[in-house]
Structure formats: structure tokens, C-alpha cells
């Protein structure tokens, strides 16, 4: 028994000896590895402390239109020019052992690990100022092991080759404070309207709290959160010996005046468009805020400077400078989806809210082309007729009723065709069609056309009572102009990194969504809003601007009590214009009701000036063009006073001839004094006519 015990003892000693040897070998390997890393870091030498580069934004012709973070290089502040309170507040809250460690705070790391284990989640960070500076200079902010290890290596190189003063100065000049303010100088001027050297203790302690989460701790985002974090920082400063407890309490109670404005001039060229570009880089390309602002990217956009200038000029020319009414405009190439012009409001400096892409407003009758396309899919034709008269519609099993009205309460009090109903924007015809198809059909069709906003299944949906976005409506109409092919609005065509490598290139491959024949039939009907010969009992809705137009257009206007729209297109360009008050105030002045149409007409003419005049060409097969009497939709005879070439999907064209004018000697158009015929504008331009 004693022999076995002795043998066991010897085995234990032998095991322990082996364990010690293995441990020593492991420690030696670890030391060799660490020495190797340090040696490699030394061999590489100091990493370049280059100031992050501005991102450049270009128009479609290569003209530079914008530069992100313009003030960064100008506002680099030396450590001696930064308020000591801000320096101390930053060190106190971000890395209180900054001057003692060599890039890594091991006690803090251990504490963070314990806290995370207890919470079973990542609840506490342990990055030092050196590590954060390394990340700001050289890395993205993704949370991968590769990034963390690379960050650690850069931190080693920074600590080996630069002084604490250089590291701290660099960190304070590269950290992001939100609202496009990078670095303490830009942030100080934005939030408090003063230099970083002039900050008070109260201002410095609030500013130091923002980088943890600009969207959460900025006083402009949440003053309550900002004050709470300021108090924590002041208490930490007192605890760490930077200030007294009395000073901390006094600073916490000191009232602050938040300015919230950049002192440098804002971008003047298409500012709403440039904001939309930045949002596209962030949300569609998934680039971080720091990469967008400081990554030295070259962003090539779709903006056409001539068309952008035309859009801004027309709005400035036709909208009363004393009015508070706002305007949103989007113009795009229907073949590619390239957005050529964008206006999100009348004054970016006063309101950067982009009404072209952010606002959701009622489209009124501009929704009707989508409804009538659905009707074409369900057996309707341009000659389909319904009775237009004041009508009360019953719904909810008779528990509710709805009585829509036409403009000025004008009704045909008889049968009208679909083409005529569209041209004069008859609301009774629209609601009847909507209810006949089923209220869910228009919603399904709207989704097909790219509208993403929520819509209610109600009778009034046919009259555009559910909100939409301007850019989505422009894109929806592009499907008609593009022969039924769907593209998506594109603002950025290519992005290069600071080395010139292409990291993104747009793909505008169209998708077949609509039936080509039906899309053309709808397009040809939309030319009718400018053709007074379609008039039966009311003016066509485009009559007030028809005289301004010198080429073929298709389109639709729309209005509600608070919104005015005009959306239309040529084969080369589709444009949507909205006008209204931000607060939903009714549009009452006649001039304000005409803004959308007037701006659209004059913009289209100027934007297309110098480009070839193109007509809407019917597809090679699938449609048939016949002359009809627009009053009844039947085949026209030589006796009909008005004959209009109208396209139908092949097999759906009318077969009955008009018999309303047999024996009439009326000519095909009105006659002026002296016997000179008045030639409608469309007859001079369109390949069809009578």
C-alpha cells in the first residue's frame, strides 16, 4: 500500500513537472509572440496621422457640387487651443488612466469582462482613447474580431511612436459629435457658437458626453439625456480630482444656450439632393457616417446641373416670396431611374426637411392613372362608358355613405368615356371604377407601381386620400413613359474609395412590370389632359398650361384641400411637382392652386430645351389606333365634328360607328372670325390628330 502511494506521489510530481514545463513553454511562446508583435510594430514605424479626407460629390457631368465636412481641416485645433475643462472631461469619462497605460487599460478590460459576464450581454466598453483614435483613423466601427485585433495593433503602433499629447490632440480632432460636426472645434462652434478654447466647464462637460451616442446625447436630440450625461461627467471629474464637488454642482445647474448652427456656409448646389445622396450612401450602400464624411470617397451622382437650376428657378419665379407654401419636385429619366433634379423645399437654410422624399401627402387625382391601368387589366378600354352624375355611394353594408363631388360640382349628367373622365378628372367615374374593381385592387396596383406608403381600403382612395411620396409618384409615372418597365430612383451612379477603387456601381436594369400595350394605351390617354377637344362638360385639367407646351407630353394633375400636384412626362423626362403647406393648411388662393402646374410646365420646357422633340411611339404589336368621337368613344365618321386618334389594346377597339352626327356639315374644328381655323396645340406636334 505504501509502495503504491509512493508511486502515486512520484507520478504526481512528474505530472506537475511536465505541467510547469508546458506552462513555461507557453509563456515563453507568448512572450516571443508579444516581442515579435512589438518588433514588427517598431519596424513598421509610426502610422501616418493623416487628417481624414473629405468626400467629394459630383454632378452627372463631373462638376464638383459638394464636399462633406468642409470645416474639418480648417478647424483642427492644437491641444493648447482646447479648453482644459473639455480635455479633462473627455479623459475623465472616456479613459481616466490615459496617462498611465500604454494603449490598453487591463484593469478596465477585466472589469468590463466581469460586467458583461454578469449581465450575459455587452454592457460596458473598455476601449482607451488610443484605441478609439486608432479606430477613427484607420478602421471601420464594425464589431468583428478582425477589426478589434487590427485596432489593438494600431494602438500599439500609436503608443510606440507618438506622445500622449499627440494622441490626445488627434483623438479630440477626429471624434464625431453628430450633426456633421467632426472634432472639438467644429462641435464647439456648432453647439455653442464659440471656439473650443472658450468653453465653460458646463459647456465642456455637456460636449464631452455627446460622442458616446450623438443621436442619444446631443442636446438637440434630447436635452434631458444630455443633461443627465453631463451630470455624470461632472461627478466623474470631481471623483477623479479635476474639479471640486461644488464646481461640479454649480456647472450642472448652469443654464446653457444651444446654438445648433454651423458657422460655415451650407452647400448651395442642390442641398436637398445632396442630403438624399448621403442618405442613400448610408441606407442603401450601408456606409458608416464616418466613412461618408471622412472616407475620401468620390461620389458620382445623377444630378443634371441645367435641370436642377431650371427647377429652382421656376419655383423662385412663380411662388410668391411672401407665401409660406412649400414645393417638392423630382425629375428623373424614365429609362434609367436617374434623378436629374430634386427640390425638397423653398429654403434649405430655413428648413432642411426634404419634401421630395420624406413628406407623405395626399396625391389627389394623380392616383387615377394607376386606377385606370388596373381597369384596363380588367376589361376596360378608353371607350368604356359610365354615367357621371352626383352620386351617393353606400358601403359597410349600408351603414356608411360617401358623396364625392366634381370640381365646381360640374357633372355630365350622362354617359362619358374613360378617356374623357381622365381628361376632365371626373371623380364619379373614378369612384365607380374603384368600387367595381374592388377596393383592394388599387392598393395592389399601387404596390406594383412602387408606392410603399400605407393605403386604406375606402371608396375615397380613388381620389387620392392616402398619402404618398413625391419621388415614388415620379417613379410610378415612369412606368408609363418606359413602356411598362420599372426602374428605381437612382441618385448615385458610382462610388470610389480614396484609392480610386470602385466600391459601388449602379445597375439600372429595368424590370418588366406592366403590359406594354396597356402602358401605351394609358400613356396616350394621359395626353388628353392637354386636348381641349376631349371637353364635354368641363375643361380638361391641363388646359391652363397647354399653350405653354411645345412638345408631346402626358400627365395628370391632382388636388385636395391641402395638396396640389402635377405629374407628367415626355419620352425623355418624368417630373412630379407637389405644392402645399407643411401644416396641412388649406390652399385657398387661386394662384397657389396653380403653382404645381405652372412650375411643371415651365420646368419641362426649360429642362428639355435643346433636346430633340420626341413623340410617344406605339409598340410594334399589341395596339391598334382608330379615330373615335371622344364624346361617346365610338368609331368616328366623316360627319363627326371631332375625331381623335385613340389607341386600344388589339382586339378591344370599338366596332360601332358614331351615329350622332349623320348629315351634319360641321367641320372638324372651331372657326375663328374670317374663316381661319384654330389649330389646337397637339395637332402641330403629335403624329396623331384629326
Amino acid at each position: 500500500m505504501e509502495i503504491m502511494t509512493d508511486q502515486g506521489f512520484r507520478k504526481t510530481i512528474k505530472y506537475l513537472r511536465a505541467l510547469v514545463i508546458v506552462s513555461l513553454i507557453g509563456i515563453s511562446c507568448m512572450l516571443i509572440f508579444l516581442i515579435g508583435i512589438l518588433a514588427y510594430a517598431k519596424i513598421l514605424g509610426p502610422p501616418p496621422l493623416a487628417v481624414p479626407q473629405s468626400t467629394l460629390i459630383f454632378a452627372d457631368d463631373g462638376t464638383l457640387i459638394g464636399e462633406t465636412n468642409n470645416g474639418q481641416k480648417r478647424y483642427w485645433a492644437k491641444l493648447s487651443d482646447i479648453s482644459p475643462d473639455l480635455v479633462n472631461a473627455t479623459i475623465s469619462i472616456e479613459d481616466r488612466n490615459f496617462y498611465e497605460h500604454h494603449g490598453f487599460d487591463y484593469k478596465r478590460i477585466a472589469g468590463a469582462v466581469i460586467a458583461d459576464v454578469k449581465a450575459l450581454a455587452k454592457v460596458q466598453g473598455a476601449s482607451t482613447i488610443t484605441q478609439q483614435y486608432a479606430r477613427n483613423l484607420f478602421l471601420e466601427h464594425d464589431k468583428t474580431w478582425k477589426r478589434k485585433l487590427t485596432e489593438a495593433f494600431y494602438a500599439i503602433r500609436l503608443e510606440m511612436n507618438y506622445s500622449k499629447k499627440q494622441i490626445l490632440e488627434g483623438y479630440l480632432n477626429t471624434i464625431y459629435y453628430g450633426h456633421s460636426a467632426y472634432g472639438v472645434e467644429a462641435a464647439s462652434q456648432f453647439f455653442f457658437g464659440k471656439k473650443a478654447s472658450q468653453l465653460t466647464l458646463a459647456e465642456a462637460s455637456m460636449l464631452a458626453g455627446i460622442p458616446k451616442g450623438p443621436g442619444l446625447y446631443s442636446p438637440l436630440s434630447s436635452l434631458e439625456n444630455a443633461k443627465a450625461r453631463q451630470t455624470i461627467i461632472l461627478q466623474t471629474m470631481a471623483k477623479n480630482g479635476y474639479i471640486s464637488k461644488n464646481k461640479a454642482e454649480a456647472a450642472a445647474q448652469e443654464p446653457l444656450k444651444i446654438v445648433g448652427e454651423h458657422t460655415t456656409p451650407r452647400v448651395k448646389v442642390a442641398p436637398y439632393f445632396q442630403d438624399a445622396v448621403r442618405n442613400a450612401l448610408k441606407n442603401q450602400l450601408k456606409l458608416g457616417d464616418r466613412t461618408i464624411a471622412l472616407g475620401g470617397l468620390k461620389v458620382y451622382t445623377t444630378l443634371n446641373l441645367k435641370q436642377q437650376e431650371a427647377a429652382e428657378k421656376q419655383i423662385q419665379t412663380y411662388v410668391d416670396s411672401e407665401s409660406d407654401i412649400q414645393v417638392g419636385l423630382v425629375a428623373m429619366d424614365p429609362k434609367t431611374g436617374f434623378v436629374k433634379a430634386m427640390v425638397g423645399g423653398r429654403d434649405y437654410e430655413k428648413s432642411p426637411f426634404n419634401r421630395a422624399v420624406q413628406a407623405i401627402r395626399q396625391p389627389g387625382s394623380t392616383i387615377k392613372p394607376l386606377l385606370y391601368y388596373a381597369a384596363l387589366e380588367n376589361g376596360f378600354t378608353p371607350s368604356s362608358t359610365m354615367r357621371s352624375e352626383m352620386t351617393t355611394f353606400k358601403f359597410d353594408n349600408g351603414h356608411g355613405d360617401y358623396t364625392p363631388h366634381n370640381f365646381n360640382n360640374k357633372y355630365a349628367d350622362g354617359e362619358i368615356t374613360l378617356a374623357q373622365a381622365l381628361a376632365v378628372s371626373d371623380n364619379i367615374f373614378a369612384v365607380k371604377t374603384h368600387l367595381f374593381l374592388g377596393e383592394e385592387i388599387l392598393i395592389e396596383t399601387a404596390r406594383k407601381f412602387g408606392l410603399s406608403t400605407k393605403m386604406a381600403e375606402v371608396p375615397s382612395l380613388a381620389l387620392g386620400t392616402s398619402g404618398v411620396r413625391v419621388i415614388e409618384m415620379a417613379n410610378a409615372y415612369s412606368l408609363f413613359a418606359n413602356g411598362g418597365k420599372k426602374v428605381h430612383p437612382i441618385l448615385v451612379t458610382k462610388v470610389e474609395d480614396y484609392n480610386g477603387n470602385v466600391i459601388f456601381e449602379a445597375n439600372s436594369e429595368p424590370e418588366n412590370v406592366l403590359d406594354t400595350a396597356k402602358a401605351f394605351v394609358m400613356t396616350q390617354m394621359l395626353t388628353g389632359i392637354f386636348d381641349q377637344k376631349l371637353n364635354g362638360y368641363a375643361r380638361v385639367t391641363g388646359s391652363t398650361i397647354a399653350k405653354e407646351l411645345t412638345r408631346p407630353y402626358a400627365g395628370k394633375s391632382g388636388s385636395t384641400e391641402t395638396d396640389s400636384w402635377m405629374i407628367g412626362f415626355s419620352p425623355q423626362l418624368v417630373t412630379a411637382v407637389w405644392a402645399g403647406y407643411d401644416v396641412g393648411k388649406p390652399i385657398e388662393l387661386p394662384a397657389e392652386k396653380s403653382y404645381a402646374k405652372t412650375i411643371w410646365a415651365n420646368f419641362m420646357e426649360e429642362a428639355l430645351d435643346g433636346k430633340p422633340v420626341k413623340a410617344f411611339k406605339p409598340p410594334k404589336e399589341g395596339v391598334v389606333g382608330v379615330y373615335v368621337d371622344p364624346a361617346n368613344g365610338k368609331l368616328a365618321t366623316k360627319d363627326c365634328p371631332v375625331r381623335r386618334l385613340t389607341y386600344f389594346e388589339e382586339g378591344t377597339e370599338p366596332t360601332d360607328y358614331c351615329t350622332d352626327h349623320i348629315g351634319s356639315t360641321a367641320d372638324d374644328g372651331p372657326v375663328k372670325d374670317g374663316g381661319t381655323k384654330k389649330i389646337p396645340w397637339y395637332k402641330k406636334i403629335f403624329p396623331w390628330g384629326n
Side-chain angles (χ1 to χ4, degrees):
M1 196 66 183
E2 292 179 358
I3 295 174
M4 291 183 65
T5 301
D6 187 53
Q7 287 178 344
F9 178 74
R10 286 198 296 270
K11 286 182 178 180
T12 300
I13 294 299
K14 185 177 180 180
Y15 173 77
L16 291 173
R17 186 183 296 116
L19 184 62
V20 170
I21 293 172
V22 170
S23 298
L24 289 173
I25 293 173
I27 293 172
S28 299
C29 290
M30 183 64 70
L31 288 173
I32 293 172
F33 178 70
L34 291 175
I35 292 171
I37 289 178
L38 294 174
Y40 182 56
K42 193 65 177 177
I43 292 171
L44 289 177
L49 300 184
V51 175
Q53 300 177 51
S54 296
T55 288
L56 306 179
I57 302 176
F58 300 92
D60 63 353
D61 63 353
T63 301
L64 179 65
I65 60 171
E67 180 178 354
T68 63
N69 194 36
N70 286 331
Q72 175 68 17
K73 295 169 186 168
R74 294 194 297 269
Y75 291 155
W76 185 279
K78 295 180 180 179
L79 197 60
S80 58
D81 292 330
I82 300 173
S83 164
D85 286 328
L86 179 56
V87 175
N88 295 335
T90 301
I91 293 175
S92 187
I93 195 64
E94 294 291 342
D95 187 2
R96 64 188 179 88
N97 296 319
F98 173 69
Y99 289 109
E100 282 72 46
H101 64 65
H102 297 287
F104 307 94
D105 190 336
Y106 299 106
K107 290 182 180 179
R108 190 176 176 193
I109 292 172
V113 170
I114 293 172
D116 292 348
V117 170
K118 287 182 178 179
L120 297 179
K122 186 169 181 58
V123 296
Q124 185 171 318
S127 293
T128 63
I129 283 177
T130 307
Q131 288 174 277
Q132 293 182 56
Y133 183 35
R135 189 186 316 153
N136 289 345
L137 282 175
F138 311 113
L139 306 164
E140 292 291 345
H141 288 242
D142 54 298
K143 297 180 180 180
T144 63
W145 282 109
K146 180 181 178 182
R147 195 273 296 164
K148 290 180 181 295
L149 291 172
T150 308
E151 174 190 301
F153 183 64
Y154 273 118
I156 291 172
R157 292 180 65 193
L158 286 172
E159 287 282 345
M160 289 180 67
N161 293 282
Y162 295 101
S163 68
K164 287 290 186 179
K165 177 182 176 181
Q166 289 174 306
I167 293 172
L168 184 58
E169 180 179 300
Y171 170 77
L172 289 169
N173 279 285
T174 56
I175 196 167
Y176 183 52
Y177 289 86
H179 307 281
S180 299
Y182 287 83
V184 294
E185 186 69 20
S188 177
Q189 295 203 20
F190 174 77
F191 286 103
F192 301 111
K194 59 176 64 175
K195 294 181 179 180
S197 61
Q198 299 171 334
L199 293 172
T200 65
L201 174 60
E203 293 166 341
S205 56
M206 177 165 284
L207 202 61
I210 296 174
K212 181 179 176 63
L216 187 62
Y217 296 110
S218 164
L220 296 176
S221 300
S222 172
L223 185 58
E224 181 181 357
N225 289 346
K227 290 293 294 182
R229 183 152 174 80
Q230 178 200 37
T231 300
I232 292 173
I233 291 173
L234 288 167
Q235 291 171 350
T236 304
M237 292 179 71
K239 181 180 177 181
N240 293 332
Y242 289 111
I243 57 175
S244 67
K245 186 177 180 180
N246 290 338
K247 280 191 174 182
E249 292 174 352
Q253 297 301 318
E254 182 180 320
L256 296 177
K257 181 181 179 181
I258 307 299
V259 176
E261 292 182 0
H262 289 283
T263 56
T264 54
R266 299 297 297 266
V267 174
K268 298 299 182 183
V269 179
Y272 292 102
F273 178 84
Q274 292 201 45
D275 273 359
V277 166
R278 293 184 184 94
N279 287 331
L281 294 175
K282 182 176 182 178
N283 299 321
Q284 296 174 22
L285 277 63
K286 305 302 181 184
L287 299 177
D289 288 332
R290 176 186 169 276
T291 301
I292 295 170
L294 301 171
L297 305 177
K298 289 184 178 179
V299 181
Y300 298 91
T301 75
T302 58
L303 187 77
N304 182 282
L305 290 174
K306 174 191 172 185
Q307 295 180 1
Q308 179 67 29
E309 183 180 351
E312 294 174 356
K313 185 180 78 174
Q314 300 308 328
I315 293 171
Q316 185 177 10
T317 299
Y318 291 103
V319 179
D320 186 348
S321 60
E322 300 299 318
S323 173
D324 292 329
I325 205 166
Q326 288 291 346
V327 179
L329 179 151
V330 172
M332 57 186 284
D333 184 335
K335 304 297 182 185
T336 62
F338 289 1
V339 175
K340 312 307 291 183
M342 177 184 290
V343 178
R346 291 174 55 201
D347 191 332
Y348 183 86
E349 295 292 339
K350 291 182 179 178
S351 174
F353 178 70
N354 193 337
R355 296 155 189 85
V357 298
Q358 293 176 285
I360 298 177
R361 304 298 297 234
Q362 293 182 352
S365 293
T366 60
I367 201 72
K368 289 177 181 176
L370 279 62
L371 170 67
Y372 291 146
Y373 178 82
L376 295 179
E377 288 189 317
N378 286 273
F380 283 60
T381 77
S383 289
S384 295
T385 58
M386 287 188 185
R387 188 172 179 81
S388 170
E389 60 187 356
M390 182 175 284
T391 306
T392 296
F393 297 90
K394 301 291 184 179
F395 58 97
D396 286 342
N397 295 321
H399 295 294
D401 56 59
Y402 174 55
T403 307
H405 298 277
N406 280 346
F407 180 70
N408 286 337
N409 286 315
K410 289 186 177 180
Y411 306 90
D413 290 324
E415 300 285 327
I416 60 171
T417 67
L418 172 57
Q420 192 177 28
L422 182 64
V424 301
S425 203
D426 188 278
N427 289 335
I428 308 303
F429 198 108
V431 176
K432 284 184 176 181
T433 303
H434 179 48
L435 296 177
F436 176 83
L437 296 176
E439 293 169 331
E440 74 283 353
I441 294 297
L442 178 52
I443 296 176
E444 294 171 2
T445 303
R447 297 290 174 262
K448 182 189 299 185
F449 277 81
L451 304 187
S452 63
T453 48
K454 186 177 181 180
M455 295 186 172
E457 290 187 17
V458 293
S460 63
L461 181 61
L463 308 185
T465 55
S466 287
V468 296
R469 294 181 175 88
V470 175
I471 193 168
E472 289 186 349
M473 288 300 288
N475 192 54
Y477 275 57
S478 76
L479 271 72
F480 296 130
N482 201 15
K485 295 183 178 68
K486 182 179 181 180
V487 293
H488 298 278
I490 293 176
L491 289 80
V492 178
T493 56
K494 185 173 66 172
V495 179
E496 295 178 354
D497 66 14
Y498 64 95
N499 283 323
N501 301 312
V502 176
I503 61 175
F504 169 80
E505 199 151 14
N507 179 11
S508 61
E509 193 67 31
E511 172 189 3
N512 288 311
V513 172
L514 308 184
D515 179 85
T516 303
K518 293 181 178 68
F520 179 76
V521 170
M522 194 68 238
T523 294
Q524 202 261 345
M525 277 199 289
L526 285 169
T527 65
I529 78 161
F530 306 112
D531 183 358
Q532 193 62 35
K533 286 194 172 185
L534 282 172
N535 177 31
Y537 60 95
R539 291 196 307 172
V540 292
T541 55
S543 61
T544 57
I545 55 174
K547 62 181 181 299
E548 308 293 334
L549 308 178
T550 62
R551 60 178 69 216
Y553 294 106
K556 185 73 186 76
S557 61
S559 61
T560 68
E561 185 182 26
T562 57
D563 302 274
S564 177
W565 293 75
M566 180 64 205
I567 310 175
F569 54 93
S570 72
Q572 304 109 307
L573 190 68
V574 57
T575 299
V577 180
W578 164 86
Y581 292 94
D582 285 335
V583 295
K585 171 185 170 183
I587 303 174
E588 297 176 341
L589 297 177
E592 292 182 343
K593 293 180 179 180
S594 68
Y595 283 157
K597 287 182 185 179
T598 304
I599 291 168
W600 179 87
N602 287 277
F603 167 74
M604 291 294 285
E605 286 293 300
E606 185 171 350
L608 294 171
D609 184 40
K611 296 185 181 296
V613 176
K614 291 186 177 182
F616 299 107
K617 294 182 179 179
K620 294 180 180 179
E621 55 184 28
V623 298
V624 173
V626 296
Y627 283 95
V628 302
D629 184 327
N632 54 36
K634 296 180 180 180
L635 292 172
T637 69
K638 62 181 180 63
D639 296 312
C640 292
V642 178
R643 295 173 295 162
R644 191 175 197 268
L645 180 61
T646 304
Y647 282 85
F648 297 80
E649 189 174 5
E650 191 172 10
T652 68
E653 65 272 17
T655 56
D656 293 336
Y657 283 89
C658 172
T659 58
D660 294 347
H661 313 97
I662 294 177
S664 172
T665 57
D667 205 337
D668 63 354
V671 179
K672 285 185 175 181
D673 292 340
T676 303
K677 293 181 182 179
K678 180 181 178 182
I679 308 298
W681 71 273
Y682 73 92
K683 289 182 63 177
K684 302 176 183 177
I685 303 167
F686 285 80
W688 53 76
N690 53 338

